[in-house]
Amino acid sequence: MSRALTTQADIESAINGYATPGEDHFTRGGAASPIRSISFREQREKWSANTSLPAPLNAESLAKMLDRATKSKGGKVGIRDRICCHQWTWFTMTMATGGIANVLHSIWTPYRAEWLWYIGLVFFLFNLCLFIMNCVLITMRFIMVPGSFMSSFLDQMESLFIPAVVVSIGTILINTCEYGIPMTGPWLRHTMEWLFWIYIVVSVLASAGMYLVLWSTQIFPIHTMTPVWVFPGYPLLLTAPFASTLIAADASASSNSSVHKLAIAMCAITVQGTGFLISFMICAAFIYRLMTQKLPRDMQRPGVFISIGPSGFTVAGIVSLGQQSRIVIPDSFQGSTHSIVILRLLSTMIGLWLWGLSVWFFLVSVGSLWKYVRPECKMPFQMTWWSFVFPNTALVTATLALATAVGSNGLRIVGCVMAGLLIIVWLLVFIKMLRCLWKRELLWPKEPGN
């Protein structure tokens, strides 16, 4: 006779065939008795007995805090109440918009079409406005809901998106190099060099610190795993693209170099490699999760696209730096007169290798959306839909960088077509976001636990 499901371990065992160990499991000095694997029919029977997984405690406390703040006026919801619902996930919008500006500049570089440059400039300026808006709204939320700032670091979902602020800043800095340095004097080049070193320090501390907070306060069962776990490492993945953009902008603005190119390139490669390896290990865990638990739920499905970013950004940065080796590295670097040719060839080979990995993840991510072609299957809109855009900007810029490196017009055309489709996706997601705002599906109080 089966016993009642009364504990978290019982419920998780009924659903998944195992239970996630808590800290008390390891502090008792021994392991609990093994949990019997159950069949799919038994899972369905136990799940149907009016049992549901409780929401994480931190997420529930944050939801209750916001619910109290937004329903303090007798149930009437106003602008102030909707601002209280603003979360870190909104910075994914500025990541995606800045990425589109970067893609347009990458297309403009080989063709030099002025209309492309101006469209990219519009996206850049629009992204600055969106970033300032998000900063104001999130600050107002923290002021109007005391305690919500610290609670956001303890929420299982929202805490993963806190590094989106750093990534948004990184995209803005990259766009500033692309659209600002060629139009201004040397002062901006020196400023961006200082900001590069500041970004390096901030990205390393933010990534390590955020993971340490998560590992100290949260327990993430493997069946809930998505590539969103990579997000705290994303700030590291923009260092090589930032460095290559800064060096290229400095070279195009003046023949007299005013930035320390070699130091910037070497530091960027170091940090980029660290970010890629961290992301690669987490993506390996995601493959394991897919093999044992199938694809994520509908609301988590957009996060699958995040797995495209690590290899895409690494290709875009490393290949571009390799092509710039003639202006970065002295001819006699490491005592070899052939070091420049070797580095350019090596960066191209590594780029092709990782580009294939990024394309593979892209195909898997697109394939995971196949079920939504059917009218009866719908994916609820969340701000994580911007994952359809930002990671794919990395794949597009990587494709264009490789096209330049290998001199392939066909590859460049493929990159341009992908860029055009990506702009359409950005527009569709942005319209959907505005529609959900109007229909009160975004920035609207929800019941605790939803």
Side-chain angles (χ1 to χ4, degrees), residues 236-237 239-240 267-279 314 318:
L236 304 176
L237 298 172
T239 52
C267 180
I269 291 173
T270 302
V271 179
Q272 184 78 27
T274 303
F276 173 75
L277 291 176
I278 293 173
S279 304
T314 302
I318 296 299

Side-chain angles (χ1 to χ4, degrees), residues 121-350:
L121 180 63
V122 170
F123 270 95
F124 170 44
L125 297 177
F126 182 55
N127 188 48
L128 282 177
C129 297
L130 293 176
F131 181 77
I132 295 172
M133 179 195 71
N134 279 335
C135 290
V136 171
L137 292 178
I138 199 76
T139 303
M140 292 176 65
R141 168 206 162 179
F142 294 147
I143 293 174
M144 292 188 294
V145 187
S148 61
F149 176 73
M150 292 303 300
S151 296
S152 68
F153 281 81
L154 303 178
D155 181 73
Q156 278 197 350
M157 183 62 180
E158 190 177 8
S159 59
L160 289 169
F161 288 92
I162 294 176
V165 181
V166 183
V167 179
S168 297
I169 294 173
T171 58
I172 290 174
L173 294 176
I174 291 174
N175 294 157
T176 303
C177 291
E178 293 170 336
Y179 297 98
I181 288 181
M183 308 300 292
T184 57
W187 66 271
L188 186 57
R189 279 177 279 166
H190 293 295
T191 302
M192 295 309 300
E193 183 178 11
W194 277 102
L195 290 176
F196 170 81
W197 295 112
I198 294 174
Y199 180 81
I200 289 290
V201 175
V202 171
S203 63
V204 172
L205 294 179
S207 177
M210 198 65 242
Y211 272 127
L212 186 60
V213 169
L214 293 175
W215 296 336
S216 302
T217 61
Q218 306 288 340
I219 295 178
F220 292 91
I222 190 63
H223 67 276
T224 65
M225 196 274 175
T226 66
V228 175
W229 290 10
V230 176
F231 233 77
Y234 251 65
L236 304 176
L237 298 172
L238 294 186
T239 52
F242 187 4
S244 63
T245 304
L246 176 58
I247 293 172
D250 177 71
S252 63
S254 175
S255 57
N256 297 323
S257 176
S258 58
V259 299
H260 299 84
K261 295 183 175 68
L262 182 59
I264 290 174
M266 293 303 177
C267 180
I269 291 173
T270 302
V271 179
Q272 184 78 27
T274 303
F276 173 75
L277 291 176
I278 293 173
S279 304
F280 184 76
M281 289 184 286
I282 295 176
C283 287
F286 178 61
I287 298 293
Y288 170 76
R289 178 250 189 273
L290 293 177
M291 297 295 292
T292 57
Q293 303 291 329
K294 300 195 298 185
L295 289 167
R297 295 177 296 172
D298 293 342
M299 61 181 299
Q300 297 176 318
R301 198 65 62 91
V304 178
F305 283 83
I306 297 177
S307 58
I308 301 171
S311 50
F313 285 116
T314 302
V315 172
I318 296 299
V319 172
S320 297
L321 287 174
Q323 295 302 303
Q324 297 166 351
S325 57
R326 187 173 299 279
I327 61 175
V328 173
I329 298 174
D331 293 337
S332 59
F333 180 71
Q334 294 294 322
S336 173
T337 57
H338 303 290
S339 59
I340 294 176
V341 176
I342 294 173
L343 286 174
R344 296 184 69 172
L345 179 61
L346 183 62
S347 66
T348 303
M349 296 299 293
I350 294 175

Side-chain angles (χ1 to χ4, degrees), residues 402-416:
L402 280 173
T404 301
V406 300
S408 172
N409 288 328
L411 199 58
R412 184 174 290 114
I413 292 174
V414 170
C416 292

